[in-house]
Amino acid sequence: MSARPLPLGSPSAQGVDASGVHAFLDAVEAAPDIEPHSVMVVRHGRLVASGWWAPYTAARPHLLYSLSKSFTATAAGLAAAEGLLDLDAPVISYFPEFAADVTDPRSRAMLVRHVASMASGHRTETLERARAADREELVRGFLRIPPDGDPGTVFAYNQPTTYTLAAIVQRVTGQPLSAYLRPRLLDPLGIGEIAWLRDRAGRELGFSGLHATTDAIARLGELYLRDGVWEGRRLLPGGWAAEASRAHIDTADGTPEGALSDWQLGYGLQFWRSRHGYRGDGAYGQFCLVLPEQDAVVATTAATVEMQRLLDLVWTHLLPAFRPGPLPGRTDEDAALRERLARLALPPAEGRPAPPDRAPEWSGAVFTPRGGRCAGLPKLTEAGVTADADGWTLTLTEDGHRLPFRIGRTGWREADEPLPAAVSGGWADAGALAVDIVFLETPHRLTVTCSLPDGTFTASWRTPPLHAPGLRAMRAPRYSG
């Protein structure tokens, strides 16, 4: 369906000081450890600021990592309202075929509410142990790991809890999460195409893997801010937003109050409590910030391991920009912000054109991994460089598949094949080519450096993928049928 744009408003009319948004943009662009991809700010129900750092664009889906969890929780809330799921029922009751394998009394006492709030009783992440316990059925593998304490008494950020919640929703509805959410949430909100990674059992992961636009993040946040009502229509059961966003389990783990981070203020039903409001969040800076006191939502996508730093910049610069009333006489400031947001861009990788005297040596050159293999990309076996009338191409060979990436003459060169990516770079000197490949449906950037003198190459991730590290996985999944 064609999504109706979010209602627009000028920053000043909605009580947002444009200088605060400028300060936020300045700060994230100056931070060496933050690569911003997008930001959207909604105030009083109006979109007052939005921008994408090229080559990222508004229309492309972006891997949300654990922000996926908040969509999973929403599906669970809808299923509960339809009488398909009971938060206070034992998890094992939804998987009676596992009863003989799950004998630990704490595992059997675990409720749906406990897995929804990361309070299964385990004190650490169990994903790898659960996979090792059962390669074919992650829920069974998880339930076979005895909890360290009683369910509901201890917090651990634990992927199989959300996977189990997602598996329950998919079992009781008979549909993948995305299909179940489409008529109940996605279409009414005006959210277009999404895609969700599936596991070997065919289930959508639930705990990660959702690819959606920044606009979808903002719409989900606005729905929660409005207690589940969208354009006068109730989509979520009354009170669900408050229930999902309150602290169900303590996450401070003994940290003194004055030293608490935004991850130590309590966990709800797949939402985190924050120093201001609450949020859904995903690895590397995918945020849905819901700020009831400011009547605002902030959505971001990014690539950073310093997620607290990104939140700190929001609290330092954006939060003070929300004023109690309109700001008259700010037309020029609003226009300047709008113009800046329209021209946001990531700087391309540095590099000079091919050295003319060495171009014949470079065209057709083949390189092998330095040291015999590429860390993080074990199936990447070869790089080749070729030239034609349209410029230069870097071809990477992964597990026998050749992936050609055209190098931009200046700036980023975008293409959808072999993968949605943008490429920039060039020669550092006559013997070294360095190229950055930004995978546009993910937070990930790969730097490839080829050395002509020794015929080797290196490849390194700026932020390592948390799912399959292969290059061909660096896109939203496409399902057939």
Side-chain angles (χ1 to χ4, degrees):
M1 64 175 292
S2 178
R4 187 162 68 180
L6 289 168
L8 298 177
S10 67
S12 59
Q14 304 306 319
V16 178
D17 188 341
S19 67
V21 184
H22 278 294
F24 173 76
L25 299 177
D26 289 342
V28 295
E29 291 183 335
D33 49 8
I34 297 175
E35 180 181 285
H37 295 168
S38 70
V39 62
M40 295 182 72
V41 180
V42 182
R43 182 90 194 282
H44 303 324
R46 301 279 175 172
L47 179 62
V48 298
S50 62
W52 285 258
W53 278 263
Y56 286 89
T57 60
R60 284 194 186 274
H62 196 282
L63 174 57
L64 303 186
Y65 277 119
S66 284
L67 181 48
S68 311
K69 291 178 170 72
S70 299
F71 286 84
T72 297
T74 304
L78 291 166
E82 293 177 5
L84 301 175
L85 179 156
D86 182 355
L87 288 172
D88 293 311
V91 169
I92 193 64
S93 69
Y94 291 95
F95 303 97
E97 70 275 25
F98 302 159
D101 298 318
V102 179
T103 58
D104 184 84
R106 285 172 170 164
S107 292
R108 297 184 68 86
M110 194 186 304
L111 306 180
V112 177
R113 178 180 304 282
H114 296 142
V115 295
S117 59
M118 297 280 185
S120 63
H122 299 93
R123 295 188 180 277
T124 60
E125 171 69 71
T126 65
L127 181 58
E128 292 310 315
R129 284 188 289 158
R131 285 174 171 164
D134 196 319
R135 291 290 177 185
E136 301 302 321
E137 175 51 79
L138 187 62
V139 173
R140 181 166 51 199
F142 166 62
L143 292 176
R144 289 174 64 186
I145 301 172
D148 305 293
D150 291 336
T153 64
V154 62
F155 170 83
Y157 198 68
N158 190 3
Q159 310 304 330
T161 60
T162 314
Y163 180 89
T164 298
L165 178 67
I168 292 171
V169 173
Q170 290 172 93
R171 172 165 287 203
V172 300
T173 65
Q175 295 177 285
L177 295 169
S178 56
Y180 179 67
L181 287 173
R182 174 56 61 190
R184 295 164 176 82
L185 182 84
L186 305 178
D187 282 348
L189 287 183
I191 293 174
E193 179 186 0
I194 67 166
W196 216 317
L197 291 177
R198 301 184 188 190
D199 68 355
R200 61 198 306 167
R203 292 192 189 114
E204 291 179 341
L205 290 182
F207 66 83
S208 187
L210 176 61
H211 295 69
T213 62
T214 316
D215 180 79
I217 300 172
R219 289 171 189 256
L220 182 74
E222 182 68 11
L223 178 68
Y224 271 79
L225 182 64
R226 306 293 163 209
D227 187 32
V229 175
W230 184 264
E231 296 180 342
R233 176 185 172 189
R234 175 161 291 286
L235 302 183
L236 303 181
W240 171 258
E243 178 68 7
S245 62
R246 73 174 177 85
H248 285 248
I249 191 76
D250 177 58
T251 60
D253 194 27
T255 303
E257 184 173 348
L260 293 175
S261 75
D262 277 286
W263 280 265
Q264 295 175 300
L265 298 168
Y267 195 76
L269 302 180
Q270 309 297 301
F271 284 90
W272 292 89
R273 295 299 306 173
S274 291
R275 279 178 283 175
H276 305 279
Y278 60 95
R279 71 190 191 282
D281 72 27
Y284 303 130
Q286 325 320 312
F287 285 125
C288 177
L289 309 179
V290 183
L291 306 171
E293 289 187 14
Q294 290 76 26
D295 194 31
V297 169
V298 177
T300 70
T301 59
T304 180
V305 295
E306 298 294 339
M307 292 173 64
Q308 183 63 68
R309 174 66 174 152
L310 181 53
L311 285 178
D312 289 343
L313 296 180
V314 173
W315 308 148
T316 300
H317 300 293
L318 280 185
L319 207 68
F322 298 125
R323 304 295 179 81
L327 304 171
R330 303 287 187 93
T331 303
D332 291 346
E333 290 87 343
D334 290 348
L337 176 61
R338 186 167 57 250
E339 291 170 7
R340 179 178 182 181
L341 288 165
R343 63 174 190 272
L344 295 175
L346 298 176
E350 295 181 358
R352 296 191 294 270
D357 57 328
R358 304 290 295 275
E361 294 178 72
W362 274 102
S363 186
V366 176
F367 305 86
T368 57
R370 186 172 300 163
R373 69 193 301 271
C374 293
L377 285 164
K379 296 183 179 181
L380 183 58
T381 58
E382 183 179 283
V385 178
T386 55
D388 58 27
D390 196 32
W392 293 84
T393 298
L394 172 70
T395 299
L396 301 177
T397 300
E398 179 188 60
D399 199 21
H401 297 268
R402 290 168 58 83
L403 305 171
F405 297 96
R406 308 283 300 185
I407 304 171
R409 293 181 185 274
T410 58
W412 297 101
R413 182 162 184 167
E414 298 177 47
D416 283 326
E417 296 297 337
L419 293 160
V423 184
S424 67
W427 278 260
D429 56 49
L433 169 67
V435 174
D436 275 11
I437 306 171
V438 170
F439 295 96
L440 296 171
E441 294 178 349
T442 80
H444 301 301
R445 179 195 292 234
L446 186 72
T447 298
V448 179
T449 302
C450 299
S451 172
L452 192 60
D454 61 15
T456 65
F457 77 96
T458 62
S460 60
W461 293 108
R462 179 171 292 188
T463 53
L466 303 182
H467 297 302
L471 297 179
R472 289 177 297 140
M474 294 297 105
R475 68 183 307 163
R478 269 65 172 172
Y479 302 134
S480 60

